Amino acid sequence: MKAAGAAIAAWAVSGWWFQAPMALLAPWTAIAMVGSTVYQSVRTGIQQFAIIALGTVWASAAMAFTQDRTMVAMLLTLPFMMLLGNYRRFGSQGIYGATTALFVITGGVSSTSTVGHRLLETLIGAVIGLLVNAFVLPPVHLRSVRDRLVRLVRETADVLGTTAEGLREEDGVEKSDSWHHSAGGLTVSLQNVSEARRWAMEGSRWNPGGRLRRVGPMPPPFDEDMRWGRVCTRVLALTRTLKTISEDTELPPPSLDFLRLLSDVLSRAGHICAIETELLTGPGTGALRERRDAAFTEAWRTLGSLTDTFHRQEPSPAAAGGELLLEARRLITELAPST
């Protein structure tokens, strides 16, 4: 709707008020200017105006050189503009050089005043598109960071809970392939958080939105992205080790007592993640933080019991158990309260 409004405003200025000969260029440019962020609009505007100006001048020169012979002018213009449009500095705006050249050539007039009109109409469209995007509900992209981070933490809690529940079952390690697959899906959610963070940072650049309207709560700090990225790495490593144990028949698995305590550790880790989800979605009360601290203390105590059980194992099962213990310790360490 903003792009449509910008196009109508650009046509009103160039076509209805100025009665410009190539008024189409103004609304056409305005539509492309309304981007996902204000910064993107400015960057797009510079790229687009440069390539459109180049296409206009080149096509006009070709028309003058060929004495307004359309076919010959196209042969001299379009191959060059299509190649130039692929230059990376023009980004996705490169195609506009060739399409603008087509407008100019099919217009059939190559006088200096006409070229000036085309450049002016392009500039009008770019300015109107930028102003509309910057001052009419400017996009800020803040909420998606928190939403996607909450989804990542919730999915991490689900993976830990499923793995813990499976380890309590007889021959539960045989299901580790599905656990590892689910843990691998966390990387996709982590990428979504990173993408949302990039949009939030770009959305705040040169954006008057924070002063023109309420934008809601700020997203969690970037350190939280890094922290949960490390947690996901630990979960993935744990499930990969369990998958290796189930597939390698020559590698003795850890004792049942060890796997039972590992299940308790993972269950408590999942409980911490569930509380962290509440902290991210709610006001973060003191009672909720106390629950999280108590859950971490309990998880660390259970990890101590797991360590004692590991020391009592036979040498052969201890090989696989040692890697599981190391990753479990790293996981609980990463889940330590940050605030």
Side-chain angles (χ1 to χ4, degrees), residues 151-170:
R151 181 180 301 177
L152 172 65
V153 179
R154 184 178 293 118
E155 290 176 357
T156 303
D158 291 342
V159 172
L160 288 170
T162 302
T163 305
E165 185 178 351
L167 286 174
R168 296 190 187 100
E169 300 176 3
E170 186 176 356

Side-chain angles (χ1 to χ4, degrees), residues 261-273:
L261 283 170
L262 178 62
S263 170
D264 292 341
V265 171
L266 298 185
S267 178
R268 284 165 173 74
H271 182 53
I272 294 173
C273 293

Side-chain angles (χ1 to χ4, degrees), residues 76-291:
L76 293 176
T77 302
L78 292 184
F80 170 74
M81 293 307 302
M82 288 302 298
L83 289 172
L84 186 65
N86 286 297
Y87 183 46
R88 62 181 179 83
R89 290 192 180 277
F90 289 128
S92 60
Q93 307 304 310
I95 190 64
Y96 287 108
T99 52
T100 301
L102 276 175
F103 287 154
V104 172
I105 292 172
T106 54
V109 181
S110 58
S111 65
T112 303
S113 62
T114 303
V115 174
H117 272 294
R118 289 163 181 160
L119 294 178
L120 177 61
E121 290 144 19
T122 300
L123 182 60
I124 289 173
V127 171
I128 290 177
L130 175 59
L131 291 176
V132 168
N133 203 36
F135 294 102
V136 179
L137 298 177
V140 289
H141 300 282
L142 293 180
R143 182 182 301 174
S144 59
V145 177
R146 183 178 300 275
D147 291 344
R148 294 187 182 186
L149 188 59
V150 167
R151 181 180 301 177
L152 172 65
V153 179
R154 184 178 293 118
E155 290 176 357
T156 303
D158 291 342
V159 172
L160 288 170
T162 302
T163 305
E165 185 178 351
L167 286 174
R168 296 190 187 100
E169 300 176 3
E170 186 176 356
D171 298 328
V173 179
E174 295 179 0
K175 301 179 181 179
S176 56
D177 185 60
S178 63
W179 306 337
H180 185 60
H181 179 75
S182 299
L186 296 177
T187 59
V188 178
S189 296
L190 187 61
Q191 291 172 358
N192 291 337
V193 173
S194 178
E195 181 70 11
R197 179 72 65 177
R198 184 183 69 81
W199 277 110
M201 293 176 64
E202 183 176 304
S204 62
R205 298 178 66 180
W206 305 343
N207 193 336
R211 294 182 294 273
L212 293 177
R213 62 189 177 94
R214 297 169 59 186
V215 297
M218 295 298 293
F222 180 70
D223 289 345
E224 286 295 292
D225 299 3
M226 302 297 293
R227 176 194 178 206
W228 287 105
R230 294 191 298 269
V231 169
C232 291
T233 301
R234 302 279 75 84
V235 174
L236 189 62
L238 267 167
T239 56
R240 181 173 57 245
T241 302
L242 290 169
K243 181 174 180 288
T244 302
I245 293 172
S246 68
E247 294 175 347
D248 192 344
T249 56
E250 297 182 0
L251 183 64
S255 65
L256 293 178
D257 288 342
F258 181 89
L259 292 178
R260 180 181 56 80
L261 283 170
L262 178 62
S263 170
D264 292 341
V265 171
L266 298 185
S267 178
R268 284 165 173 74
H271 182 53
I272 294 173
C273 293
I275 297 175
E276 291 279 4
T277 302
E278 296 182 51
L279 284 170
L280 286 170
T281 55
T285 61
L288 201 56
R289 288 191 172 89
E290 289 178 2
R291 282 178 52 201

